[in-house]
Amino acid sequence: LQESESETRLDGETASDSESRSEFGGSSPVPTSDDTPEVLNRALSNLSSRWKNWWVRGILTLAMITFFFIIIYLGPMVLMTIVMCVQIKCFHEIITIGYNVYHSYELPWFRTLSWYFLLCVNYFFYGETVTDYFFTLVQREEPLRILSKYHRFISFALYLTGFCMFVLSLVKKHYRLQFYMFGWTHVTLLIVVTQSHLIIHNLFEGMIWFIVPISCVICNDIMAYMFGFFFGRTPLIKLSPKKTWEGFIGGFFSTVLFGLLLSYVMSGYRCFTCPVEFNNDTNSFTVDCEPSELFQLQEYNIPVVLQSVVGWKTVRMYPFQIHSIALSTFASLIGPFGGFFASGFKRAFKIKDFANTIPGHGGIMDRFDCQYLMATFVNVYIASFIRGPNPSKLIQQFLTLRPDQQLHIFNTLKAHLVDRGILGSLEDA
Amino acid sequence: MSARRRRRAAAEQEEEEEEEEEEEAAEAGSDKEVDLEERLHELDLRSDSDIPDVLPPTDSTPEILKRALSGLSARWKNWWIRGILSLAMISGFFLIIYLGSFMLMLLVLSIQVKCYHEIITIGYRVYHSYDLPWFRSLSWYFLLCVNYFFYGETVADYFATFVQRREQLQFLIRYHRFISFALYLTGFCMFVLSLVKKHYRLQFYMFAWTHVTLLITVTQSHLVIQNLFEGMIWFLVPISSVICNDITAYIFGFFFGRTPLIKLSPKKTWEGFIGGFFSTVVFGFIFSYFLAQHQYFVCPVEYNSETNRFVTECEPSELFQMKKYSVPSLLQAVLGWETVNMYPFQMHSFALSTFASLIGPFGGFFASGFKRAFKIKDFADTIPGHGGIMDRFDCQYLMATFVHVYITSFIRGPNPSKLLKQLLILQPEQQLSVYKTLKSHLVEKGILQPSLRG
């Protein structure tokens, strides 16, 4: 009996194998339908297909950039929500690819479990980071306080429930499939959720730390494409045959320049440079502060080499612009590796695009593949070179210590401050 | 095609299956490139019964044991081997505990490396990817990177005074995250550059396999070390509870076992499960009672910079001081006492043993499912009669995380010295404002006497 069962399944697999084989030589998802909006289709019906494609891409690019500006205008809360939505959509896209690869739509349990794990991990991360910013709000509301105090335990218990459900859901003939999907889900979570949380961290540091890196990656994409279009000759890497060295180098220089200019313009505005804070009285986000040194104009001496070129002896720049050079360099030199990784992934699983969400561009993941490494880099950069630890978080940790430990730390800090002359003479015993 | 598949499904031998696969692949694809991709595709979609069994592990029982046990029947021989090796492992464990925390750390590290190696080797076998030499180097490189990152984040705190004295170490600590990230990125870029046209899918699989393995083995081992630094008792009691549960569940199952527990592991029974639960709770209770009396086990491990060694000496915290508890009236009749002297830690050991017996086995089921999915009998061959290191540690997997989460949620707050270190690197204005906030808080709580100057 068992043999005949497995036979029928194998036969079923055979049938689909030969189907898909004829199309792509491997597994393929549902064939992508053309979902360019009707409006555009009509407007561009006269042009040849190559130019039509170019126009569709161009229009959608402008639409996305405009959308980007609108949500920046709307403020940090909306940005956070957008980041969340993008994260969920990317997760969905990658998981769907996994289902398609493994023909595992027939394991309904697994879809539920994947979304459950996404929820757990998000809950954990949001609880760890976002509550720092909403500290006073959390302390006031009793249920929130308990949730925050035992946050790690609760998150772990939730994750464990999912893990146990997975173990209990293992079905005799599908072990391997289920383990594959389990692994696939976890790797996707690792990629998608951690990145989105790092982006939100960067955002809270100051909107400029969110806007400049993302814009540099977008600019690099566009500039590399244009330089490649006009001057492209030497192929860059076998993975992406359309990329060329000319595009790569041209993109690099333009992105650095773009980064410098954009940071110059943005550093002048407080709404971009100030850390995002949650105001307990008005229950809204405020970006109002004394700009840090990074965002105050300073005189720099131009190295002698460039003096003759540029004609000035000194230049007034924001220190942040120097940092922007590091950010743009990363965006142009290492960022593309994220894109190559995604290209390799698409070739490995024989898909043309991650999904079909954006006409002319593919899925959300297609747009965000280069951003992937950028967000981590910016976060590590900030933590290493810009700011120290978050003072309010330290205070929060301090308050959970025992009294004798608190006293010890307080006295050590006091001695340190007096030592440095920051604090006046000893104030009290 | 379907006839071939049917024949293949019926065949038992690995060699026959391999041959037929190649034939079919050669027939189906005229292109060698499509060929390999076909095979991979089929690897993905084959039902479990199709997967060739891994070569049966060679018998690595030492000669001496074989001679000593040559007289017994096969079943008892197996039992004796397992028993002897269990005793050997437990003695080894005690020996290392005696040798101290540093040796324990090294032991944990070696186990981690071996577990990683075992799981990666399984991946190679499953995907026949021995022919990608680049990938072995990359896997080990990633292991190194992640370990470097974790050790830098956690262990460096404990060596704070040692580190302060040396200039180069200070630099490494300050930019630790950046350096770790740069190292990881290098590995990532090497991976992207190493993608070879016909092996994309294989390489991505191995990449994902490596990362999931790292996630499992390295994070667990670091949590184990963090628990260790909290006090050796937090390392010993959980691990012993899991081992005790394993052994007692086996014994109860052996003598009373009747109702099967879960399809995944047909040898487990409900009687074993419940019997194991109660015995583990009692064992944990008694074991913590004995350990809680010795400073060696109870004190947080600290690094003494003068003697350059680990010391475990301190004023035992409240957890490890005897308290009188009133016995609930239900049990009073049974036990005949009205109050009992216990360590508060023994209450916590309740929670630990409960987790070890109820949830810990899920780690074991997970590993059983994994072995069935990939048609292997044991993870490796390291320990005769027991299998690989991973086989012994599969239940410990969840335990270490639980203990760590338990400690951070219910036992201790954040590490004061780490907090102090972070305070000292703030900007002066921030330090001043923090100082003022702290002062007002302490005055409010009455911990600090308000000054006369206000």
Side-chain angles (χ1 to χ4, degrees), chain A residues 13 17 21 102-103 173 175-176 179-180 341 344-345 348 394 397-401 405 414 427-428, chain B residues 5-6 38 41 45 48 51 127 191 201 204-205 366 369-370 414 416 419 422 435 438-439 441 451:
Chain A
E13 279 176 22
D17 276 359
R21 206 174 292 153
Y102 292 114
H103 298 264
K173 284 190 242 153
Y175 289 149
R176 186 184 263 215
F179 271 93
Y180 277 161
F341 187 82
F345 182 83
L394 290 180
Q397 289 185 323
F398 180 85
L399 294 174
T400 60
L401 288 174
Q405 291 172 318
K414 188 164 115 179
E427 287 184 357
D428 53 352
Chain B
R5 283 200 193 238
R6 236 178 267 134
E38 301 296 287
H41 181 59
L45 294 180
D48 284 356
I51 297 161
Y127 292 113
F191 169 70
R201 189 184 272 209
F204 271 93
Y205 278 160
F366 186 83
F370 181 84
L419 193 58
Q422 289 185 314
Y435 171 78
L438 297 185
K439 186 163 129 184
H441 170 82
S451 71

Side-chain angles (χ1 to χ4, degrees), chain A residues 153-168:
Chain A
F153 193 75
I154 295 173
S155 316
F156 183 62
L158 288 174
Y159 177 81
L160 262 191
T161 318
F163 183 84
C164 294
M165 302 283 5
F166 169 71
V167 172
L168 292 172

Side-chain angles (χ1 to χ4, degrees), chain B residues 15-117:
Chain B
E15 300 86 283
E16 278 185 43
E17 287 187 278
E18 293 270 308
E19 277 175 35
E20 295 198 8
E21 220 177 86
E22 282 179 65
E23 281 174 44
E24 179 191 15
E27 272 198 17
S30 47
D31 207 19
K32 268 248 148 121
E33 178 185 323
V34 181
D35 196 20
L36 188 63
E37 291 294 311
E38 301 296 287
R39 271 182 57 185
L40 288 175
H41 181 59
E42 280 155 20
L43 270 176
D44 288 338
L45 294 180
R46 283 183 298 190
S47 73
D48 284 356
S49 56
D50 264 358
I51 297 161
D53 279 328
V54 161
L55 287 168
T58 52
D59 183 18
S60 63
T61 325
E63 269 312 300
I64 179 170
L65 279 178
K66 272 204 209 151
R67 265 182 275 126
L69 305 168
S70 53
L72 304 161
S73 74
R75 182 183 175 205
W76 278 106
K77 186 161 145 195
N78 190 39
W79 207 94
W80 271 106
I81 293 178
R82 279 185 77 105
I84 290 173
L85 259 303
S86 303
L87 283 175
M89 288 195 288
I90 293 178
S91 324
F93 188 43
F94 280 131
L95 186 68
I96 302 207
I97 291 173
Y98 176 73
L99 289 175
S101 341
F102 189 66
M103 293 303 295
L104 270 171
M105 261 179 69
L106 281 183
L107 179 71
V108 171
L109 189 60
S110 352
I111 291 178
Q112 174 210 99
V113 172
K114 190 71 181 65
C115 287
Y116 182 79
H117 176 69

Side-chain angles (χ1 to χ4, degrees), chain B residues 46-232:
Chain B
R46 283 183 298 190
S47 73
D48 284 356
S49 56
D50 264 358
I51 297 161
D53 279 328
V54 161
L55 287 168
T58 52
D59 183 18
S60 63
T61 325
E63 269 312 300
I64 179 170
L65 279 178
K66 272 204 209 151
R67 265 182 275 126
L69 305 168
S70 53
L72 304 161
S73 74
R75 182 183 175 205
W76 278 106
K77 186 161 145 195
N78 190 39
W79 207 94
W80 271 106
I81 293 178
R82 279 185 77 105
I84 290 173
L85 259 303
S86 303
L87 283 175
M89 288 195 288
I90 293 178
S91 324
F93 188 43
F94 280 131
L95 186 68
I96 302 207
I97 291 173
Y98 176 73
L99 289 175
S101 341
F102 189 66
M103 293 303 295
L104 270 171
M105 261 179 69
L106 281 183
L107 179 71
V108 171
L109 189 60
S110 352
I111 291 178
Q112 174 210 99
V113 172
K114 190 71 181 65
C115 287
Y116 182 79
H117 176 69
E118 284 177 8
I119 301 183
I120 294 285
T121 312
I122 293 175
Y124 289 148
R125 247 185 262 155
V126 169
Y127 292 113
H128 302 264
S129 56
Y130 270 111
D131 347 294
L132 296 171
W134 244 132
F135 214 81
R136 251 173 293 176
S137 331
L138 270 177
S139 305
W140 288 111
Y141 178 80
F142 280 126
L143 177 68
L144 207 75
C145 282
V146 180
N147 264 318
Y148 175 75
F149 171 69
F150 275 114
Y151 272 101
E153 288 271 308
T154 59
V155 174
D157 292 337
Y158 296 102
F159 292 88
T161 20
F162 179 77
V163 167
Q164 297 289 48
R165 277 184 290 175
R166 289 168 180 57
E167 192 54 44
Q168 308 93 328
L169 288 183
Q170 274 228 24
F171 174 78
L172 283 181
I173 297 286
R174 177 123 173 71
Y175 298 108
H176 178 256
R177 280 202 186 176
F178 192 76
I179 295 172
S180 316
F181 184 61
L183 288 174
Y184 177 80
L185 264 191
T186 317
F188 183 84
C189 295
M190 302 284 5
F191 169 70
V192 171
L193 293 172
S194 77
L195 287 173
V196 179
K197 192 158 188 195
K198 285 185 242 161
H199 303 282
Y200 289 149
R201 189 184 272 209
L202 249 188
Q203 293 181 289
F204 271 93
Y205 278 160
M206 288 313 297
F207 187 76
W209 190 288
T210 304
H211 278 67
V212 176
T213 314
L214 282 173
L215 198 74
I216 297 177
T217 54
V218 180
T219 51
Q220 297 307 307
S221 83
H222 275 272
L223 293 176
V224 168
I225 290 180
Q226 279 193 285
N227 298 342
L228 179 69
F229 272 93
E230 194 62 26
M232 298 238 291

Side-chain angles (χ1 to χ4, degrees), chain A residues 55-71:
Chain A
W55 272 106
V56 170
R57 280 184 75 105
I59 290 173
L60 259 304
T61 311
L62 282 175
M64 290 194 289
I65 293 178
T66 316
F67 181 65
F68 189 43
F69 280 130
I70 292 177
I71 53 176

Side-chain angles (χ1 to χ4, degrees), chain A residues 114-335:
Chain A
S114 304
W115 288 110
Y116 179 79
F117 281 127
L118 177 70
L119 206 77
C120 282
V121 181
N122 263 319
Y123 176 75
F124 172 68
F125 274 114
Y126 272 101
E128 287 272 308
T129 61
V130 173
T131 45
D132 291 339
Y133 297 102
F134 292 89
F135 180 57
T136 7
L137 174 71
V138 167
Q139 294 294 65
R140 268 185 306 184
E141 314 287 333
E142 191 55 35
L144 286 183
R145 206 177 63 81
I146 295 182
L147 281 182
S148 147
K149 184 151 160 48
Y150 298 108
H151 174 73
R152 278 199 189 180
F153 193 75
I154 295 173
S155 316
F156 183 62
L158 288 174
Y159 177 81
L160 262 191
T161 318
F163 183 84
C164 294
M165 302 283 5
F166 169 71
V167 172
L168 292 172
S169 78
L170 288 172
V171 180
K172 190 157 189 191
K173 284 190 242 153
H174 302 282
Y175 289 149
R176 186 184 263 215
L177 253 187
Q178 292 181 290
F179 271 93
Y180 277 161
M181 287 314 296
F182 188 75
W184 192 286
T185 304
H186 278 69
V187 176
T188 312
L189 284 173
L190 199 72
I191 296 176
V192 169
V193 181
T194 51
Q195 296 310 305
S196 83
H197 276 271
L198 293 175
I199 289 182
I200 291 181
H201 262 272
N202 299 343
L203 180 70
F204 273 93
E205 195 60 28
M207 302 238 290
I208 199 173
W209 289 104
F210 171 77
I211 297 173
V212 168
I214 290 187
S215 320
C216 286
V217 174
I218 296 176
C219 169
N220 185 60
D221 255 353
I222 297 176
M223 288 293 144
Y225 182 76
M226 294 209 168
F227 273 85
F229 191 78
F230 290 117
F231 307 113
R233 212 154 308 161
T234 346
L236 181 61
I237 189 173
K238 283 190 300 265
L239 262 179
S240 299
K242 286 195 216 160
K243 310 268 187 216
T244 57
W245 274 104
E246 290 83 6
F248 189 66
I249 296 178
F252 168 56
F253 283 110
S254 357
T255 309
V256 169
L257 205 62
F258 170 80
L260 279 172
L261 290 172
L262 182 70
S263 347
Y264 181 78
V265 168
M266 293 193 115
S267 302
Y269 296 95
R270 251 192 236 170
C271 66
F272 295 125
T273 61
C274 289
V276 176
E277 271 157 42
F278 186 73
N279 191 325
N280 303 299
D281 309 312
T282 62
N283 267 7
S284 66
F285 287 101
T286 49
V287 269
D288 213 10
C289 67
E290 191 62 43
S292 81
E293 307 177 323
L294 269 188
F295 303 106
Q296 290 168 8
L297 277 174
Q298 274 180 22
E299 295 258 336
Y300 284 91
N301 297 324
I302 299 189
V304 184
V305 178
L306 291 175
Q307 264 186 26
S308 41
V309 177
V310 178
W312 299 318
K313 285 236 184 76
T314 61
V315 65
R316 292 173 65 85
M317 279 200 330
Y318 294 99
F320 180 76
Q321 291 182 275
I322 314 276
H323 292 299
S324 83
I325 296 182
L327 298 180
S328 335
T329 309
F330 185 88
S332 1
L333 297 187
I334 312 288

